[in-house]
Amino acid sequence: MIVKLSQKLWKRILFFCFVTIFSLIIFSVATVNNAANLSITESVEVSDNCDTSDSINQTYTKNHNCLPSISSSPVITQNRILPPQERFLSAVTPRLSPVPIPQTFEYILLRQYGSPFINSNNQVNLPGKVIFSNAQETQAFQSTLIKGKVNSGNACVLQKSAADAFNAANQQVRIPLKSGNGGGDCTRTYQTTLRFWRKYANDRTLELVRQGKETRILAVVAPPGSSQHLWGLAIDLRVSKQSQRRALNEHGWFQTVENDTPHWTYVGVAEAKLPEFGLRKKLVRGVTYWLTPI
């Protein structure tokens, strides 16, 4: 009886050993396969502190002396198109130092009159700010300008690049000044902008503009020191024909102040490229304006 029990026990022990050994073999094979897959499919990023001559992306091995950070999939960086506001601010940043902060008076002025700041042509001179504090500051800037005479009206001068572009358009089709007086239609003095402001507005209006509570006046007259006319990059015209608009657009002149129909701005960029700088096209009562997106 004891012998028979011993034989049964022995058989069970052998069976248990066989199952255990077989399980260990299966587990070992699976582990090896997983390790092989890891070395083939996964990449590692080696710390800057690692003393290794291998490349940044390496296959993990047991002999590696550094502690890798394993990433199961590569990081893909996609080029995304910036929204118009960011494209515009990115374009004007080299010209403005610093770029005005949102919800400030300067930011309001940049929104209204800032389209010329996208021009990266070194021959076009732009101020490093959106508003001059006084006549002396304005004169100091204007003294640095290379000016050219406009072949229309009386004593009209602009920055040379702007004047040359207008003259080329005017050669295609005659484009008269709004009043014919260059001192008001073309480059202005600080005193002229102050006189125009006092004609249409007052100090109370200016305070409301500063607070962002009044912006409609900005399509009628610019606050003293902030007009594009001070930069030699704006002109007031009498445009009534599509051929005149087309000629101006072909030479970099656009209407950029909504509802200020006579006002034209020298942006100096081809119309097809204006959206690349974030400017947005808006049609108002048959007039096409190119406005800042901020």
Side-chain angles (χ1 to χ4, degrees):
M1 183 69 176
I2 295 175
V3 174
K4 290 182 179 181
L5 288 175
S6 298
Q7 289 177 347
K8 289 182 180 180
L9 181 60
W10 178 248
K11 289 180 180 180
R12 288 181 181 179
I13 292 173
L14 289 177
F15 178 76
F16 177 77
C17 291
F18 174 79
V19 171
T20 301
I21 293 171
F22 182 78
S23 299
L24 288 173
I25 292 172
I26 296 298
F27 178 77
S28 298
V29 171
T31 302
V32 170
N33 286 338
N34 287 337
N37 290 335
L38 179 65
S39 65
I40 293 172
T41 62
E42 294 189 330
S43 63
V44 300
E45 295 178 358
V46 181
S47 169
D48 292 337
N49 296 325
C50 290
D51 183 14
T52 177
S53 59
D54 295 337
S55 61
I56 294 299
N57 290 324
Q58 303 183 42
T59 301
Y60 178 77
T61 63
K62 290 183 179 180
N63 294 329
H64 203 291
N65 294 325
C66 302
L67 181 62
S69 173
I70 299 175
S71 173
S72 59
S73 60
V75 177
I76 300 174
T77 303
Q78 296 179 344
N79 293 324
R80 298 180 179 179
I81 299 176
L82 293 174
Q85 180 177 354
E86 293 185 28
R87 291 204 300 274
F88 174 73
L89 292 175
S90 176
V92 305
T93 296
R95 292 289 202 171
L96 287 171
S97 180
V99 175
I101 300 172
Q103 300 181 349
T104 62
F105 177 48
E106 290 77 11
Y107 195 82
I108 293 171
L109 297 177
L110 179 63
R111 178 191 303 127
Q112 191 74 12
Y113 308 124
S115 57
F117 285 99
I118 70 171
N119 192 318
S120 60
N121 186 346
N122 291 330
Q123 294 181 348
V124 174
N125 196 353
L126 284 161
K129 57 198 304 187
V130 294
I131 184 169
F132 295 119
S133 302
N134 49 50
Q136 291 74 23
E137 198 172 64
T138 305
Q139 290 171 355
F141 169 75
Q142 291 182 343
S143 68
T144 67
L145 302 180
I146 299 174
K147 299 176 182 177
K149 186 178 184 301
V150 167
N151 299 328
S152 183
N154 178 38
C156 175
V157 295
L158 299 169
Q159 287 199 42
K160 188 176 186 307
S161 296
D164 290 347
F166 177 83
N167 289 337
N170 192 46
Q171 192 170 9
Q172 291 180 220
V173 55
R174 184 175 177 275
I175 309 171
L177 299 186
K178 177 185 175 183
S179 69
N181 177 20
D185 291 340
C186 306
T187 301
R188 297 173 183 169
T189 64
Y190 182 90
Q191 289 83 354
T192 300
T193 63
L194 180 59
R195 176 167 54 85
F196 282 167
W197 178 260
R198 289 174 175 171
K199 179 180 179 180
Y200 297 101
N202 52 41
D203 291 343
R204 173 59 181 162
T205 311
L206 182 58
E207 184 57 32
L208 291 174
V209 173
R210 288 181 176 276
Q211 296 173 11
K213 297 179 180 179
E214 170 57 55
T215 56
R216 290 175 298 178
I217 189 63
L218 300 180
V220 178
V221 62
S226 67
S227 174
Q228 294 174 345
H229 288 278
L230 296 174
W231 312 338
L233 296 174
I235 191 169
D236 288 348
L237 302 170
R238 284 189 285 120
V239 174
S240 58
K241 301 176 182 178
Q242 193 60 35
S243 58
Q244 294 170 319
R245 297 180 187 278
R246 185 165 52 249
L248 287 164
N249 292 163
E250 287 174 356
H251 292 89
W253 284 92
F254 301 95
Q255 289 165 287
T256 66
V257 180
E258 185 176 351
N259 294 324
D260 191 353
T261 308
H263 184 92
W264 287 77
T265 306
Y266 181 66
V267 181
V269 175
E271 185 171 17
K273 290 187 173 295
L274 293 178
E276 295 180 14
F277 296 92
L279 297 192
R280 58 187 179 90
K281 186 177 183 180
K282 185 175 182 180
L283 188 65
V284 181
R285 293 184 293 277
V287 177
T288 298
Y289 296 96
W290 284 96
L291 309 176
T292 66
I294 61 176

Short mmCIF file of all heavy atoms in Angstrom, two decimals, residues 120-159:
data_model
loop_
_atom_site.label_atom_id
_atom_site.label_comp_id
_atom_site.label_asym_id
_atom_site.label_seq_id
_atom_site.Cartn_x
_atom_site.Cartn_y
_atom_site.Cartn_z
N SER A 120 8.17 95.97 -44.45
CA SER A 120 9.52 95.68 -43.98
C SER A 120 10.60 96.30 -44.86
O SER A 120 11.79 96.05 -44.66
CB SER A 120 9.73 94.16 -43.92
OG SER A 120 9.57 93.58 -45.20
N ASN A 121 10.18 97.11 -45.84
CA ASN A 121 11.13 97.77 -46.73
C ASN A 121 11.93 98.81 -45.96
O ASN A 121 11.37 99.74 -45.38
CB ASN A 121 10.37 98.43 -47.89
CG ASN A 121 11.30 99.00 -48.94
OD1 ASN A 121 12.51 99.16 -48.72
ND2 ASN A 121 10.75 99.32 -50.10
N ASN A 122 13.24 98.68 -45.96
CA ASN A 122 14.09 99.61 -45.22
C ASN A 122 14.04 101.03 -45.77
O ASN A 122 14.43 101.98 -45.08
CB ASN A 122 15.54 99.11 -45.21
CG ASN A 122 15.71 97.86 -44.39
OD1 ASN A 122 14.98 97.65 -43.42
ND2 ASN A 122 16.67 97.02 -44.75
N GLN A 123 13.58 101.18 -47.01
CA GLN A 123 13.47 102.51 -47.59
C GLN A 123 12.24 103.26 -47.09
O GLN A 123 12.10 104.46 -47.34
CB GLN A 123 13.43 102.40 -49.12
CG GLN A 123 14.73 101.87 -49.72
CD GLN A 123 14.69 101.79 -51.23
OE1 GLN A 123 13.63 101.93 -51.85
NE2 GLN A 123 15.84 101.57 -51.84
N VAL A 124 11.35 102.55 -46.41
CA VAL A 124 10.19 103.18 -45.79
C VAL A 124 10.49 103.38 -44.31
O VAL A 124 10.75 102.42 -43.58
CB VAL A 124 8.92 102.32 -45.97
CG1 VAL A 124 7.75 102.92 -45.20
CG2 VAL A 124 8.58 102.19 -47.45
N ASN A 125 10.47 104.62 -43.89
CA ASN A 125 10.80 104.96 -42.51
C ASN A 125 9.52 105.03 -41.68
O ASN A 125 8.57 105.72 -42.05
CB ASN A 125 11.53 106.31 -42.46
CG ASN A 125 12.24 106.54 -41.15
OD1 ASN A 125 12.09 105.75 -40.21
ND2 ASN A 125 13.02 107.60 -41.07
N LEU A 126 9.50 104.31 -40.58
CA LEU A 126 8.34 104.32 -39.69
C LEU A 126 8.79 104.67 -38.27
O LEU A 126 9.89 104.31 -37.86
CB LEU A 126 7.67 102.94 -39.68
CG LEU A 126 6.82 102.63 -40.92
CD1 LEU A 126 6.58 101.14 -41.05
CD2 LEU A 126 5.50 103.38 -40.86
N PRO A 127 7.94 105.37 -37.53
CA PRO A 127 8.31 105.70 -36.15
C PRO A 127 8.28 104.45 -35.29
O PRO A 127 7.60 103.49 -35.60
CB PRO A 127 7.23 106.70 -35.73
CG PRO A 127 6.05 106.34 -36.57
CD PRO A 127 6.60 105.87 -37.89
N GLY A 128 9.00 104.48 -34.21
CA GLY A 128 9.00 103.34 -33.30
C GLY A 128 7.85 103.35 -32.33
O GLY A 128 7.81 102.56 -31.39
N LYS A 129 6.88 104.23 -32.57
CA LYS A 129 5.71 104.37 -31.69
C LYS A 129 4.53 104.81 -32.53
O LYS A 129 4.69 105.28 -33.66
CB LYS A 129 6.01 105.38 -30.58
CG LYS A 129 6.41 106.74 -31.11
CD LYS A 129 7.13 107.62 -30.09
CE LYS A 129 6.35 107.85 -28.84
NZ LYS A 129 7.00 108.83 -27.94
N VAL A 130 3.32 104.67 -32.00
CA VAL A 130 2.13 104.97 -32.78
C VAL A 130 1.66 106.41 -32.61
O VAL A 130 0.77 106.87 -33.34
CB VAL A 130 0.97 104.01 -32.42
CG1 VAL A 130 1.31 102.59 -32.83
CG2 VAL A 130 0.64 104.09 -30.94
N ILE A 131 2.22 107.15 -31.65
CA ILE A 131 1.81 108.53 -31.44
C ILE A 131 2.99 109.37 -30.97
O ILE A 131 3.77 108.94 -30.12
CB ILE A 131 0.63 108.62 -30.43
CG1 ILE A 131 0.14 110.06 -30.28
CG2 ILE A 131 0.99 108.00 -29.10
CD1 ILE A 131 -1.17 110.19 -29.51
N PHE A 132 3.12 110.56 -31.56
CA PHE A 132 4.14 111.51 -31.13
C PHE A 132 3.57 112.37 -30.01
O PHE A 132 2.39 112.75 -30.03
CB PHE A 132 4.56 112.41 -32.30
CG PHE A 132 5.25 111.67 -33.41
CD1 PHE A 132 4.71 111.65 -34.69
CD2 PHE A 132 6.44 111.00 -33.18
CE1 PHE A 132 5.35 110.98 -35.72
CE2 PHE A 132 7.09 110.32 -34.21
CZ PHE A 132 6.54 110.31 -35.48
N SER A 133 4.42 112.70 -29.07
CA SER A 133 3.96 113.45 -27.90
C SER A 133 3.77 114.93 -28.17
O SER A 133 2.91 115.57 -27.56
CB SER A 133 4.97 113.28 -26.74
OG SER A 133 5.13 111.92 -26.42
N ASN A 134 4.55 115.48 -29.10
CA ASN A 134 4.50 116.92 -29.33
C ASN A 134 5.09 117.25 -30.69
O ASN A 134 5.53 116.37 -31.44
CB ASN A 134 5.26 117.65 -28.22
CG ASN A 134 6.65 117.06 -27.99
OD1 ASN A 134 7.41 116.85 -28.93
ND2 ASN A 134 6.96 116.76 -26.72
N ALA A 135 5.13 118.55 -30.99
CA ALA A 135 5.63 119.01 -32.29
C ALA A 135 7.11 118.72 -32.45
O ALA A 135 7.57 118.36 -33.55
CB ALA A 135 5.35 120.50 -32.44
N GLN A 136 7.88 118.87 -31.37
CA GLN A 136 9.32 118.64 -31.46
C GLN A 136 9.64 117.19 -31.83
O GLN A 136 10.52 116.92 -32.66
CB GLN A 136 10.00 119.02 -30.13
CG GLN A 136 9.99 120.51 -29.81
CD GLN A 136 8.62 121.03 -29.38
OE1 GLN A 136 7.78 120.25 -28.93
NE2 GLN A 136 8.40 122.32 -29.54
N GLU A 137 8.94 116.28 -31.20
CA GLU A 137 9.15 114.86 -31.49
C GLU A 137 8.77 114.53 -32.93
O GLU A 137 9.45 113.76 -33.61
CB GLU A 137 8.33 114.02 -30.51
CG GLU A 137 8.77 112.57 -30.40
CD GLU A 137 8.05 111.84 -29.29
OE1 GLU A 137 6.82 111.69 -29.38
OE2 GLU A 137 8.72 111.42 -28.32
N THR A 138 7.69 115.15 -33.39
CA THR A 138 7.25 114.94 -34.77
C THR A 138 8.28 115.47 -35.76
O THR A 138 8.64 114.80 -36.74
CB THR A 138 5.90 115.64 -35.01
OG1 THR A 138 4.95 115.18 -34.05
CG2 THR A 138 5.39 115.35 -36.41
N GLN A 139 8.78 116.67 -35.50
CA GLN A 139 9.77 117.27 -36.39
C GLN A 139 11.06 116.46 -36.42
O GLN A 139 11.69 116.32 -37.48
CB GLN A 139 10.06 118.71 -35.94
CG GLN A 139 8.91 119.67 -36.18
CD GLN A 139 9.14 121.03 -35.54
OE1 GLN A 139 10.12 121.24 -34.83
NE2 GLN A 139 8.22 121.97 -35.78
N ALA A 140 11.44 115.92 -35.28
CA ALA A 140 12.66 115.11 -35.22
C ALA A 140 12.52 113.88 -36.12
O ALA A 140 13.47 113.50 -36.83
CB ALA A 140 12.94 114.69 -33.78
N PHE A 141 11.35 113.25 -36.11
CA PHE A 141 11.13 112.09 -36.98
C PHE A 141 11.09 112.52 -38.44
O PHE A 141 11.75 111.91 -39.30
CB PHE A 141 9.83 111.38 -36.61
CG PHE A 141 9.39 110.35 -37.62
CD1 PHE A 141 10.03 109.13 -37.70
CD2 PHE A 141 8.37 110.63 -38.52
CE1 PHE A 141 9.65 108.17 -38.64
CE2 PHE A 141 7.98 109.69 -39.46
CZ PHE A 141 8.62 108.46 -39.52
N GLN A 142 10.33 113.56 -38.74
CA GLN A 142 10.18 113.98 -40.13
C GLN A 142 11.49 114.46 -40.75
O GLN A 142 11.67 114.37 -41.97
CB GLN A 142 9.11 115.08 -40.23
CG GLN A 142 7.71 114.56 -39.95
CD GLN A 142 6.64 115.64 -40.08
OE1 GLN A 142 6.94 116.84 -40.09
NE2 GLN A 142 5.38 115.23 -40.18
N SER A 143 12.42 114.90 -39.92
CA SER A 143 13.72 115.34 -40.43
C SER A 143 14.55 114.18 -40.95
O SER A 143 15.53 114.38 -41.68
CB SER A 143 14.48 116.10 -39.35
OG SER A 143 14.86 115.21 -38.29
N THR A 144 14.18 112.96 -40.58
CA THR A 144 14.93 111.77 -41.03
C THR A 144 14.39 111.20 -42.33
O THR A 144 14.99 110.28 -42.90
CB THR A 144 14.88 110.67 -39.96
OG1 THR A 144 13.53 110.18 -39.84
CG2 THR A 144 15.34 111.18 -38.60
N LEU A 145 13.27 111.73 -42.81
CA LEU A 145 12.60 111.16 -43.98
C LEU A 145 13.27 111.59 -45.28
O LEU A 145 13.68 112.75 -45.43
CB LEU A 145 11.13 111.57 -44.01
CG LEU A 145 10.27 111.19 -42.80
CD1 LEU A 145 8.84 111.68 -43.00
CD2 LEU A 145 10.30 109.69 -42.56
N ILE A 146 13.36 110.66 -46.21
CA ILE A 146 13.74 110.99 -47.59
C ILE A 146 12.43 111.23 -48.34
O ILE A 146 11.61 110.33 -48.48
CB ILE A 146 14.53 109.84 -48.23
CG1 ILE A 146 15.81 109.58 -47.44
CG2 ILE A 146 14.85 110.15 -49.69
CD1 ILE A 146 16.59 108.37 -47.93
N LYS A 147 12.24 112.45 -48.80
CA LYS A 147 10.95 112.85 -49.34
C LYS A 147 10.97 112.95 -50.86
O LYS A 147 12.02 113.13 -51.48
CB LYS A 147 10.51 114.19 -48.74
CG LYS A 147 10.34 114.15 -47.23
CD LYS A 147 10.00 115.51 -46.66
CE LYS A 147 9.89 115.46 -45.14
NZ LYS A 147 9.62 116.79 -44.55
N GLY A 148 9.78 112.81 -51.43
CA GLY A 148 9.61 112.95 -52.87
C GLY A 148 8.38 113.78 -53.16
O GLY A 148 7.43 113.79 -52.37
N LYS A 149 8.39 114.49 -54.27
CA LYS A 149 7.27 115.35 -54.64
C LYS A 149 6.21 114.56 -55.40
O LYS A 149 6.53 113.76 -56.28
CB LYS A 149 7.76 116.52 -55.50
CG LYS A 149 6.68 117.55 -55.80
CD LYS A 149 7.25 118.70 -56.62
CE LYS A 149 6.19 119.78 -56.84
NZ LYS A 149 4.98 119.26 -57.54
N VAL A 150 4.97 114.79 -55.03
CA VAL A 150 3.84 114.15 -55.71
C VAL A 150 3.42 115.02 -56.88
O VAL A 150 3.25 116.24 -56.74
CB VAL A 150 2.67 113.96 -54.72
CG1 VAL A 150 1.39 113.59 -55.47
CG2 VAL A 150 3.02 112.89 -53.70
N ASN A 151 3.23 114.39 -58.02
CA ASN A 151 2.87 115.12 -59.24
C ASN A 151 1.36 115.33 -59.32
O ASN A 151 0.69 114.94 -60.28
CB ASN A 151 3.36 114.37 -60.48
CG ASN A 151 4.87 114.22 -60.49
OD1 ASN A 151 5.59 115.09 -59.98
ND2 ASN A 151 5.35 113.13 -61.06
N SER A 152 0.82 115.94 -58.28
CA SER A 152 -0.60 116.26 -58.24
C SER A 152 -0.80 117.29 -57.14
O SER A 152 -0.17 117.21 -56.08
CB SER A 152 -1.44 115.01 -57.96
OG SER A 152 -2.82 115.31 -57.98
N GLY A 153 -1.66 118.27 -57.39
CA GLY A 153 -1.92 119.28 -56.38
C GLY A 153 -0.77 120.24 -56.17
O GLY A 153 0.16 120.32 -56.98
N ASN A 154 -0.82 120.93 -55.05
CA ASN A 154 0.15 121.98 -54.75
C ASN A 154 1.00 121.61 -53.54
O ASN A 154 0.47 121.37 -52.45
CB ASN A 154 -0.61 123.30 -54.47
CG ASN A 154 0.33 124.44 -54.12
OD1 ASN A 154 1.42 124.55 -54.68
ND2 ASN A 154 -0.10 125.27 -53.19
N ALA A 155 2.31 121.54 -53.73
CA ALA A 155 3.27 121.32 -52.64
C ALA A 155 2.97 120.06 -51.84
O ALA A 155 3.01 120.07 -50.61
CB ALA A 155 3.31 122.54 -51.72
N CYS A 156 2.69 118.98 -52.55
CA CYS A 156 2.43 117.70 -51.88
C CYS A 156 3.70 116.87 -51.87
O CYS A 156 4.25 116.53 -52.92
CB CYS A 156 1.32 116.95 -52.61
SG CYS A 156 1.00 115.29 -51.95
N VAL A 157 4.17 116.55 -50.66
CA VAL A 157 5.35 115.69 -50.52
C VAL A 157 5.01 114.52 -49.61
O VAL A 157 4.19 114.63 -48.70
CB VAL A 157 6.57 116.47 -49.96
CG1 VAL A 157 7.04 117.52 -50.93
CG2 VAL A 157 6.25 117.07 -48.61
N LEU A 158 5.66 113.40 -49.90
CA LEU A 158 5.51 112.18 -49.11
C LEU A 158 6.89 111.56 -48.96
O LEU A 158 7.87 112.06 -49.53
CB LEU A 158 4.57 111.18 -49.81
CG LEU A 158 3.13 111.61 -50.07
CD1 LEU A 158 2.44 110.62 -51.01
CD2 LEU A 158 2.35 111.72 -48.76
N GLN A 159 6.97 110.46 -48.22
CA GLN A 159 8.20 109.69 -48.26
C GLN A 159 8.43 109.27 -49.71
O GLN A 159 7.48 108.97 -50.45
CB GLN A 159 8.11 108.46 -47.36
CG GLN A 159 8.18 108.78 -45.88
CD GLN A 159 8.54 107.57 -45.04
OE1 GLN A 159 9.42 106.79 -45.40
NE2 GLN A 159 7.89 107.43 -43.89
#
